[in-house]
Amino acid sequence: KSGLDPGGAWHAWGMACLKAGNLSSAREKFNRCLKPPMDLNQLSHGSRLVQDVIQYLESTVKPILIADDDYFATLRELEAALRTRSLSLEMMCEGKIQHNSYYQECLFYLHSYGTNLAIISFYMRHDCMREALLHLLNKESPSEVFIEGIFIPSYESGKLHMLENLLETIDPGLESWGVYLIAACKYLQRKNYYHILYELQQFMKDHVRAAMTCIRFFTHGAKSYTELGGKQTWLLKIKDHLKVYLQEVSRSSGRKKMAFTFRKKMSATDVSRHINTVDLQMEVTKFLHRCESSGTSQMTGSSLPTLFGNNNMKMDVACKVMLEGKNIEEGFGIAFRVLQDFQLEATEVYSKVAKQLVKQQKYSEIRQLLKCVNESGVAAKNDGDNIILNCLNEFKNIPAEDLDNLIQDMDSDENKIQAYVMCNKLRSAYLVSVRQEKTRAVQLVQHVRQLAESSGDDVVKAICTQWL
């Protein structure tokens, strides 16, 4: 008469019937006020009214074990507890849910008016993980429902192994769980739960991604190569994962192609290349660890370069190896392999090293570097000269004798003249210029006279004029 919504009254009446134990009347009353959700896959447990009904029914469940003799009841409980976990799981589910009218009532309301998440969460609360997983599969629920309803409760309650066992029991190939497992991995990565992620990737036999997680364990948070020296077991694990992956690929290529739909794929060539990178990183780690331990290490940088970074980082590794040994020659072999394996710009790296040596005032080491570069067998004709030219920007800091020695080491007279001009040694530039073929000598001496004139060096200007 008053036009008020009767839903509240029906709900209260239904609750009263429940409390009186009249389950069939309660169903009838609730039918008038409860509605199924629009979207069964929404990430909620359904309406508050449904949740209240479930909460009440769960709180009034009678004890399952009704025995004539309390002693036998206790023995039975003990026996159940001693059974294997998976066995007791199935027994408990059947006993608890199939043979208990209150639990059956819960399932009636959940299936009629609840979301998939609510049903799955109910199964999980009552240790019926298998039923929760089967419901998820049957309803083809999205991965968010799996994460929220099954995965998070599993690892939070320490039941991740049980979950893994059940996934494998239901589908030994894990193919039907692929989407859910990948979503779980992404979730763990977002949360930075890398140890759980690594365990899950191993269970999934996703060896390429597991190797990538090991790379993170190796590099993350390390401030020195001494620290990395203590983390070398991760490098061995990376290699193990990649080798197992190679074996699986070669095994499956022999017979009908296996559908590894959710596991990360990689070509055999790429995997072999990554294994080589790991081997080289092990050499680098051992070498730099030894340098840091013996105190020859001098470089300090904000970030620690490894061969798992981009090309600039790899170039930093090559520089670091050359600069941190007792001398340039000690680390040159490893650095040269880094440059060759990753096809890096060698001259750029050598020039960087030479500039560092100028800063450290190790001028004889620059000559040692040039010797190593020339003996490497792959240096271009002007590489040595270019290295010297690149570090002459710092010529004001180089003592005169060392500067002369460096320029004398250059192969090309043209480059020597350029170097002398850069360092304002115009008299020396003149002396090399006049040794050239006549036409070229005239051009060079004219250029030196022009520079002498503009810099006010009257002596060199007069010598050039007289020669010309």
Side-chain angles (χ1 to χ4, degrees):
K1 282 178 182 175
S2 55
L4 295 173
D5 176 26
W10 286 117
H11 186 260
W13 196 350
M15 288 303 286
C17 291
L18 273 188
K19 286 169 186 173
N22 192 344
L23 302 182
S24 54
S25 292
R27 284 190 186 193
E28 187 196 323
K29 307 299 179 279
F30 285 130
N31 188 35
R32 296 173 183 264
C33 62
L34 299 179
K35 290 182 178 65
M38 299 289 284
D39 175 16
L40 288 172
N41 285 320
Q42 61 185 325
L43 285 183
S44 82
H45 288 267
S47 73
R48 186 67 252 172
L49 299 179
V50 178
Q51 289 180 54
D52 287 346
V53 173
I54 302 302
Q55 217 170 337
Y56 175 76
L57 285 167
E58 283 183 308
S59 67
T60 52
V61 169
K62 308 285 183 292
I64 304 156
L65 290 163
I66 301 154
D68 299 331
D69 192 333
D70 283 345
Y71 293 110
F72 288 119
T74 314
L75 278 171
R76 267 202 209 87
E77 283 169 9
L78 183 62
E79 216 176 321
L82 289 172
R83 285 200 201 101
T84 63
R85 194 72 188 92
S86 60
L87 230 163
S88 68
L89 175 86
E90 286 175 27
M91 294 295 292
M92 226 159 89
C93 267
E94 285 175 17
K96 222 176 188 182
I97 289 184
Q98 288 181 5
H99 306 309
N100 188 294
S101 55
Y102 279 87
Y103 279 124
Q104 285 303 310
E105 211 60 21
C106 284
L107 286 172
F108 166 77
Y109 286 107
L110 286 168
H111 282 288
S112 305
Y113 311 109
T115 59
N116 285 325
L117 180 60
I119 297 167
I120 284 166
S121 299
F122 172 79
Y123 282 131
M124 290 296 287
R125 273 199 305 280
H126 300 291
D127 288 326
C128 297
M129 198 186 280
R130 184 189 179 86
E131 279 69 12
L133 287 167
L134 292 172
H135 183 84
L136 179 88
L137 267 192
N138 293 339
K139 299 295 177 187
E140 294 179 353
S141 292
S143 47
E144 292 81 8
V145 174
F146 170 74
I147 302 289
E148 197 71 32
I150 298 174
F151 186 70
I152 295 174
S154 293
Y155 79 70
E156 282 183 349
S157 60
K159 291 178 181 173
L160 192 58
H161 282 301
M162 190 198 295
L163 172 62
E164 289 172 351
N165 290 339
L166 278 171
L167 292 175
E168 215 164 20
T169 308
I170 295 167
D171 177 4
L174 299 179
E175 286 305 317
S176 43
W177 304 116
V179 179
Y180 299 118
L181 288 168
I182 293 295
C185 289
K186 285 178 182 171
Y187 167 81
L188 292 169
Q189 205 166 352
R190 276 199 311 276
K191 289 281 190 179
N192 289 329
Y193 294 163
Y194 283 94
H195 288 279
I196 304 175
L197 172 66
Y198 181 52
E199 190 193 317
L200 190 62
Q201 286 167 336
Q202 289 180 92
F203 161 72
M204 291 159 66
K205 296 184 174 59
D206 195 346
H207 294 292
V208 175
R209 286 194 181 97
M212 288 156 77
T213 305
C214 291
I215 291 173
R216 190 194 181 276
F217 283 134
F218 175 71
T219 55
H220 186 67
K223 298 282 189 292
S224 69
Y225 261 88
T226 306
E227 279 182 52
L228 286 183
K231 296 168 94 177
Q232 287 185 78
T233 46
W234 288 113
L235 292 176
L236 295 171
K237 285 183 179 179
I238 297 168
K239 268 182 79 170
D240 289 343
H241 284 300
L242 294 175
K243 281 177 178 173
V244 171
Y245 177 78
L246 273 182
Q247 285 166 5
E248 286 184 359
V249 168
S250 62
R251 228 181 288 140
S252 63
S253 61
R255 54 177 188 270
K256 198 182 80 167
K257 220 164 175 65
M258 287 169 78
F260 287 131
T261 46
F262 64 91
R263 296 175 182 93
K264 192 168 177 64
K265 291 190 186 73
M266 195 178 273
S267 72
T269 320
D270 283 349
V271 175
S272 301
R273 206 177 66 242
H274 286 307
I275 290 173
N276 288 339
T277 301
V278 174
D279 285 334
L280 197 48
Q281 180 63 54
M282 285 180 97
E283 270 192 70
V284 167
T285 306
K286 281 172 187 163
F287 178 78
L288 291 175
H289 182 200
R290 197 171 68 241
C291 294
E292 285 181 6
S293 305
S294 63
T296 57
S297 169
Q298 292 184 9
M299 277 183 82
T300 49
S302 53
S303 66
L304 196 63
T306 69
L307 298 178
F308 300 118
N310 57 20
N311 277 359
N312 286 338
M313 196 185 263
K314 288 175 181 127
M315 287 161 92
D316 288 347
V317 171
C319 291
K320 197 172 171 66
V321 167
M322 279 189 267
L323 289 165
E324 295 209 2
K326 288 199 290 286
N327 52 46
I328 287 292
E329 200 170 4
E330 192 187 19
F332 187 83
I334 297 174
F336 182 71
R337 274 181 54 207
V338 171
L339 297 174
Q340 290 291 295
D341 281 13
F342 299 106
Q343 298 178 328
L344 302 172
E345 194 52 61
T347 316
E348 195 182 322
V349 173
Y350 297 143
S351 300
K352 224 173 172 182
V353 171
K355 283 177 183 173
Q356 278 292 330
L357 291 170
V358 169
K359 278 184 189 168
Q360 294 171 12
Q361 300 181 341
K362 294 181 175 177
Y363 308 110
S364 60
E365 288 292 304
I366 297 175
R367 300 177 81 178
Q368 179 76 60
L369 172 66
L370 295 174
K371 179 173 171 282
C372 289
V373 171
N374 289 329
E375 288 173 358
S376 70
V378 294
K381 187 168 179 265
N382 277 332
D383 274 1
D385 289 6
N386 288 334
I387 292 164
I388 294 172
L389 285 171
N390 276 327
C391 66
L392 288 183
N393 298 329
E394 313 285 330
F395 77 90
K396 292 190 180 80
N397 305 326
I398 304 174
E401 190 185 337
D402 291 304
L403 192 58
D404 278 336
N405 287 337
L406 282 174
I407 296 173
Q408 289 300 324
D409 280 345
M410 294 174 104
D411 293 327
S412 146
D413 281 349
E414 293 269 345
N415 287 335
K416 282 181 186 173
I417 295 163
Q418 190 186 334
Y420 282 130
V421 166
M422 273 174 77
C423 302
N424 295 330
K425 290 178 172 283
L426 297 179
R427 188 187 174 86
S428 300
Y430 161 77
L431 290 171
V432 181
S433 297
V434 295
R435 293 207 303 265
Q436 307 309 303
E437 179 268 321
K438 208 56 159 205
T439 322
R440 183 69 184 133
V442 170
Q443 289 173 342
L444 290 166
V445 173
Q446 281 174 336
H447 179 57
V448 172
R449 184 178 67 169
Q450 208 175 342
L451 291 169
E453 195 176 344
S454 57
S455 66
D457 190 335
D458 295 336
V459 177
V460 174
K461 182 188 168 188
I463 296 171
C464 292
T465 309
Q466 190 181 351
W467 185 87
L468 287 165

